[in-house]
């Protein structure tokens, strides 16, 4: 059964579609500047059935999803443990945090020249750029999650003689998990935001490559298809992550409800 919030969301989408149709059908916005719904549909049909930029929509989408997932997984595999370590060990924080504070403000796209220099024009360079974009939020939120744990909980576990490994895996990580998942959502969003720019350089497939080719061809309909595809893929992967969060943190979700 659709709830009230869902109806509001559907109404907003419907209003946006009507506005899109209205401004393009009446000529307020020319087709050369923004495509009409008919132009969008024709472009979607073309890339889905006949292909564009060397492949079909599914092939381009799968390439982009592969890059995002790989970069995201590497980021959380390195960023979350580092954030937990910095939050738990003051000496580790003192040693690592100054370097992290220097690296953190560097935009992910600034790493593209070095990524290409080190890894060439293949997928490795793109994964590196996505990794950096997703790495920073995962570190920050894992660190914050540890620091927000009530100190008496840790002190009680220490008084009971809890081994260090059990302390981390059974107390620190579960208590910090809500903040960690917040960081994962931000990391996933950053991955998709960076993907398109990463694929603009040296790519032979992917949604970013489609956008680049459509821009060169002055093809507004295909540009919008690429933009909508990124939005849909980002929404789908975020929904999958939210489902994983609800299952992993059922106790926290139930508490909020």
């Amino acid at each position: 059964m659709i709830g009230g919030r869902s109806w509001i969301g559907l109404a907003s989408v419907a209003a946006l579609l009507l506005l899109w149709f209205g401004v393009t059908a009446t000529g307020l916005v020319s087709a050369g500047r923004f495509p009409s719904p008919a132009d969008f549909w024709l472009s979607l049909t073309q890339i889905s059935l006949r292909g564009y930029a060397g492949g079909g929509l599914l092939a381009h989408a799968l390439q982009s999803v592969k890059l995002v997932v790989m970069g995201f997984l590497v980021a959380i595999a390195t960023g979350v443990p580092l954030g937990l370590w910095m939050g738990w060990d003051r000496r580790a924080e003192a040693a690592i945090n100054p370097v992290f504070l220097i690296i953190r403000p560097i935009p992910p796209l600034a790493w593209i020249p070095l990524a290409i220099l080190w890894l060439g024009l293949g997928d490795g360079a793109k994964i590196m750029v996505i990794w950096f974009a997703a790495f920073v939020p995962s570190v920050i939120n894992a660190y914050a999650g540890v620091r927000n744990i009530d100190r008496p909980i840790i002190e009680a576990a220490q008084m009971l003689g809890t081994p260090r490994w059990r302390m981390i895996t059974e107390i620190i990580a579960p208590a910090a998990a809500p903040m960690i998942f917040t960081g994962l959502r931000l990391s996933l969003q950053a991955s998709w935001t960076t993907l398109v720019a990463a694929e603009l350089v040296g790519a032979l497939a992917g949604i970013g490559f489609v956008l680049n080719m459509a821009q060169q061809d002055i093809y507004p309909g295909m540009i919008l298809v690429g933009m909508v595809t990124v939005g849909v893929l980002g929404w789908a992967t975020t929904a999958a992550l939210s489902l994983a969060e609800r299952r992993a943190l059922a106790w926290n979700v139930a508490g909020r409800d």
Side-chain angles (χ1 to χ4, degrees):
M1 185 174 182
I2 300 179
R5 294 177 60 184
S6 298
W7 280 116
I8 294 174
L10 291 174
S12 298
V13 173
L16 180 61
L17 293 175
L18 288 174
L19 177 63
W20 176 23
F21 178 81
V23 297
T24 54
T26 58
L28 290 177
V29 178
S30 66
R33 294 182 179 274
F34 197 80
S36 67
D39 293 333
F40 172 82
W41 179 254
L42 289 175
S43 301
L44 179 61
T45 302
Q46 176 187 343
I47 192 172
S48 300
L49 301 180
R50 299 189 300 276
Y52 180 79
L57 180 60
L58 180 59
H60 288 301
L62 289 177
Q63 170 67 10
S64 294
V65 169
K66 182 187 75 172
L67 295 178
V68 166
V69 169
M70 293 181 68
F72 174 71
L73 291 178
V74 174
I76 63 176
T78 54
V80 172
L82 181 62
L84 293 175
W85 186 27
M86 290 172 58
W88 167 252
D89 193 324
R90 294 299 178 92
R91 290 174 296 180
E93 180 189 6
I96 299 172
N97 198 45
V99 178
F100 181 74
L101 291 177
I102 294 174
I103 296 176
R104 176 184 172 183
I106 300 175
L109 303 186
W111 290 91
I112 290 179
L114 279 179
I116 293 175
L117 182 64
W118 293 343
L119 302 174
L121 296 175
D123 290 348
K126 300 170 183 59
I127 292 172
M128 175 184 166
V129 175
I130 294 170
W131 163 79
F132 183 81
F135 173 76
V136 172
S138 64
V139 173
I140 293 173
N141 283 271
Y143 170 83
V146 176
R147 286 305 175 89
N148 288 337
I149 299 174
D150 292 335
R151 193 65 191 176
I153 297 177
I154 299 177
E155 292 174 351
Q158 291 174 335
M159 289 179 59
L160 293 173
T162 305
R164 185 180 182 88
W165 179 248
R166 290 191 62 189
M167 174 79 76
I168 295 173
T169 58
E170 298 182 12
I171 298 176
I172 300 299
M179 283 295 296
I180 291 175
F181 271 99
T182 298
L184 296 187
R185 288 195 296 271
L186 294 174
S187 295
L188 186 58
Q189 178 182 353
S191 297
W192 280 109
T193 303
T194 307
L195 166 81
V196 174
E199 285 186 332
L200 290 177
V201 182
L204 297 176
I207 303 302
F209 180 61
V210 170
L211 287 168
N212 187 33
M213 294 299 297
Q215 181 268 331
Q216 294 181 29
D217 293 339
I218 314 178
Y219 195 169
M222 194 62 70
I223 292 174
L224 187 58
V225 168
M227 293 171 61
V228 171
T229 302
V230 171
V232 170
L233 292 175
W235 169 82
T237 51
T238 301
L241 181 60
S242 297
L243 178 60
E245 179 182 6
R246 287 195 297 270
R247 292 187 174 181
L249 304 180
W251 55 270
N252 190 55
V253 174
R256 290 202 306 264
D257 295 340

